Amino acid sequence: MNSMVKSVYKSNRPRLVLLASIVTSIVLVIFFLFGAISTNVIRGGAAYTQVDMVAGSIFVFIITMIISLSLWPKVVLWLEMHKKNEEFSK
């Protein structure tokens, strides 16, 4: 039974990594848009056009997806190892 649970969890690992990467990218895009919009409000004029903000958002999303897809698997693996160490120490 224990090996079945481990195999199911390992099969969900890519889905978990993808979901975490998408959420991370969306959160960072929201921060980017908040910064761009607040800059426009503070300066009183259009420091950034809508085209700049859309293009920047796409760029931020793509870059953060690339980076987070390389980082999240390591985080998930570390969490798995940490969980296994806790189980063995009991």
Side-chain angles (χ1 to χ4, degrees):
M1 173 90 177
N2 195 14
S3 64
M4 187 171 80
V5 172
K6 287 180 184 177
S7 66
V8 169
Y9 183 73
K10 286 181 182 179
S11 67
N12 286 334
R13 187 184 306 164
R15 184 176 292 152
L16 178 66
V17 167
L18 180 63
L19 182 64
S21 296
I22 290 171
V23 169
T24 302
S25 295
I26 290 172
V27 167
L28 290 173
V29 166
I30 290 170
F31 282 139
F32 171 79
L33 285 173
F34 176 75
I37 291 169
S38 63
T39 300
N40 278 351
V41 169
I42 290 171
R43 290 193 178 179
Y48 302 110
T49 64
Q50 288 181 353
V51 173
D52 292 336
M53 288 189 270
V54 169
S57 297
I58 293 169
F59 178 76
V60 167
F61 184 81
I62 291 171
I63 292 298
T64 55
M65 279 296 289
I66 292 169
I67 294 170
S68 62
L69 281 171
S70 66
L71 293 177
W72 274 113
K74 294 175 186 176
V75 171
V76 170
L77 183 63
W78 181 84
L79 290 173
E80 286 177 359
M81 297 302 288
H82 186 69
K83 187 175 181 179
K84 285 181 186 178
N85 288 338
E86 285 181 356
E87 289 175 2
F88 288 129
S89 66
K90 289 183 181 180

